[in-house]
Amino acid sequence: DVKVTQSSRYLVKRTGEKVFLECVQDMDHENMFWYRQDPGLGLRLIYFSYDVKMKEKGDIPEGYSVSREKKERFSLILESASTNQTSMYLCASSSPGTGKNTEAFFGQGTRLTVV
Amino acid sequence: DQQVKQNSPSLSVQEGRISILNCDYTNSMFDYFLWYKKYPAEGPTFLISISSIKDKNEDGRFTVFLNKSAKHLSLHIVPSQPGDSAVYFCAASERRDDKIIFGKGTRLHILP
């Protein structure tokens, strides 16, 4: 069974803290994604990685960075957490190319609250 | 600027009837379209997809229709069941990269 695992379901952090959100996939997928989900705004892409050490900014990269040192692991880093980064964070992975069997698989999400 | 638009935030449908969820897109380079379903406190799960070379794809109770000239797609669920109550996201990607862009979602309520 395919699996994308996010390290925490719920996190509470203080303003100004450096926060790491970890994601691991076991499907040997090249592509990995970080999204955030907010009411009325849907899923917005923060960062995308198409290979180890490769990354591209998504629609809302400000205040975030990412790390992909190994194929199976993609980390999202909040350099200095702020209250407007309180959100549900979703990691996903997919195979490259468009077409059959290239849909993205999601983790269960991390609900981050910054106080 | 939103590239994938779901203009109906919510939709209520009687159990057993057809649910139709709509999606519009602006990027003519999109060539692959997907629908995801999401329950609260869970990650989205893939439902059905369609390539731009097709105009229809069917999987059990779910059918997706694509009208490229109108840049419009729709998801039909028939018959609708109580377990279909969820948020449905329309998504799209283009050949040049594998980024998947999502719409804002439509919350579907199936009424008993």
Side-chain angles (χ1 to χ4, degrees):
Chain A
D1 205 15
V2 298
K3 214 156 189 186
V4 178
T5 304
Q6 294 182 230
S7 53
S8 304
R9 289 298 299 268
Y10 301 95
L11 272 180
V12 179
K13 297 292 182 181
R14 294 194 180 278
T15 302
E17 272 193 78
K18 191 168 186 176
V19 181
F20 293 84
L21 302 183
E22 307 286 347
C23 175
V24 176
Q25 51 98 359
D26 65 1
M27 294 166 281
D28 201 35
H29 283 162
E30 282 79 0
N31 299 326
M32 294 189 77
F33 309 81
W34 276 106
Y35 293 88
R36 62 178 281 179
Q37 183 194 4
D38 300 289
L41 297 176
L43 294 171
R44 293 181 292 167
L45 182 64
I46 305 172
Y47 266 99
F48 162 58
S49 170
Y50 52 92
D51 204 347
V52 175
K53 297 190 189 294
M54 307 303 286
K55 62 186 180 185
E56 277 191 27
K57 292 180 180 178
D59 297 323
I60 50 164
E62 297 79 17
Y64 303 95
S65 62
V66 290
S67 171
R68 188 147 180 223
E69 297 296 319
K70 293 184 178 181
K71 190 176 185 180
E72 67 271 17
R73 187 178 296 269
F74 192 34
S75 302
L76 180 70
I77 304 155
L78 286 65
E79 298 291 342
S80 176
S82 64
T83 54
N84 64 12
Q85 292 179 309
T86 292
S87 187
M88 167 72 89
Y89 289 88
L90 293 157
C91 174
S93 71
S94 74
S95 296
T98 55
K100 193 176 179 181
N101 298 327
T102 59
E103 68 269 17
F105 294 88
F106 280 83
Q108 77 277 28
T110 296
R111 169 71 64 185
L112 173 67
T113 303
V114 182
V115 298
Chain B
D1 188 30
Q2 248 190 300
Q3 298 186 69
V4 178
K5 300 179 184 181
Q6 294 178 259
N7 292 321
S8 299
S10 67
L11 175 69
S12 295
V13 174
Q14 208 75 34
E15 182 179 354
R17 307 293 283 266
I18 183 170
S19 296
I20 300 176
L21 296 98
N22 293 304
C23 178
D24 298 294
Y25 61 96
T26 56
N27 185 348
S28 57
M29 299 300 291
F30 285 147
D31 63 351
Y32 191 58
F33 303 89
L34 311 96
W35 283 94
Y36 281 81
K37 176 179 179 179
K38 186 181 185 300
Y39 294 118
E42 293 182 14
T45 53
F46 171 74
L47 203 52
I48 192 168
S49 63
I50 188 166
S51 164
S52 60
I53 61 173
K54 295 186 174 183
D55 55 18
K56 178 183 174 181
N57 188 27
E58 196 171 347
D59 184 1
R61 296 187 298 116
F62 303 92
T63 303
V64 57
F65 296 91
L66 175 62
N67 182 335
K68 280 181 64 179
S69 60
K71 294 192 176 69
H72 177 84
L73 62 154
S74 60
L75 173 68
H76 292 214
I77 306 172
V78 55
S80 300
Q81 297 176 355
D84 296 331
S85 293
V87 177
Y88 289 78
F89 289 100
C90 174
S93 66
E94 55 180 285
R95 191 176 300 279
R96 67 177 182 90
D97 67 30
D98 293 330
K99 280 189 280 191
I100 303 176
I101 306 300
F102 285 80
K104 292 185 178 182
T106 296
R107 184 176 298 278
L108 177 64
H109 300 271
I110 304 301
L111 306 171

